[in-house]
Amino acid sequence: MNTTVILDAIDLPESGPADLNLSRSFTIGVSAIQAQRKVNGWLRDEVSMSFIAESPSLVIGARIVWRVPIAFTASHVGRVGLAGTVDVDVTSGEIVGLAQFKAHLFAAARKMAENLPPF
């Protein structure tokens, strides 16, 4: 399986040589597909059918998570755009930071919907 890996919060110089050595051990308790499905279930049950989870990237930082992009969709045009991302803990499968995220998704969708053609 090909997975994009993002290194979160590392210090790099603005220019010139950079040396990066990475050695991090962790257990994948939840696969990328399982994380995507979990987010899709949450979107369906708690948010709206107008959002869909897309393929996640692995983010290695203080906490290792699957970063799952969430797209806003409209029935008459399909995928409208990226409404945000949500993180799913790689080991436990916990969706991180849901309390404030739902309002963010709706705000992003409202802004994108302003530019949609009428039905």
Side-chain angles (χ1 to χ4, degrees):
M1 168 179 97
N2 279 337
T3 299
T4 300
V5 177
I6 300 168
L7 301 176
D8 193 26
I10 61 170
D11 291 324
L12 291 175
E14 277 190 42
S15 62
D19 187 28
L20 179 64
N21 293 305
L22 178 66
S23 178
R24 185 85 184 255
S25 296
F26 57 96
T27 300
I28 298 175
V30 175
S31 72
I33 291 171
Q34 289 170 319
Q36 183 178 0
R37 287 180 183 153
K38 183 173 189 122
V39 173
N40 268 327
W42 172 73
L43 291 168
R44 181 193 64 237
D45 296 343
E46 303 291 330
V47 184
S48 169
M49 294 293 288
S50 295
F51 295 98
I52 187 166
E54 297 182 332
S55 297
S57 298
L58 184 65
V59 177
I60 299 175
R63 186 174 193 171
I64 299 175
V65 296
W66 293 111
R67 181 148 300 150
V68 184
I70 298 175
F72 172 57
T73 64
S75 59
H76 62 298
V77 295
R79 186 186 190 280
V80 178
L82 184 67
T85 60
V86 68
D87 291 346
V88 177
D89 187 278
V90 166
T91 303
S92 69
E94 172 195 358
I95 300 176
V96 181
L98 285 184
Q100 72 280 6
F101 192 66
K102 193 172 177 181
H104 171 77
L105 282 178
F106 285 129
R110 272 191 291 282
K111 188 171 183 169
M112 284 186 270
E114 291 173 359
N115 300 316
L116 287 178
F119 281 94

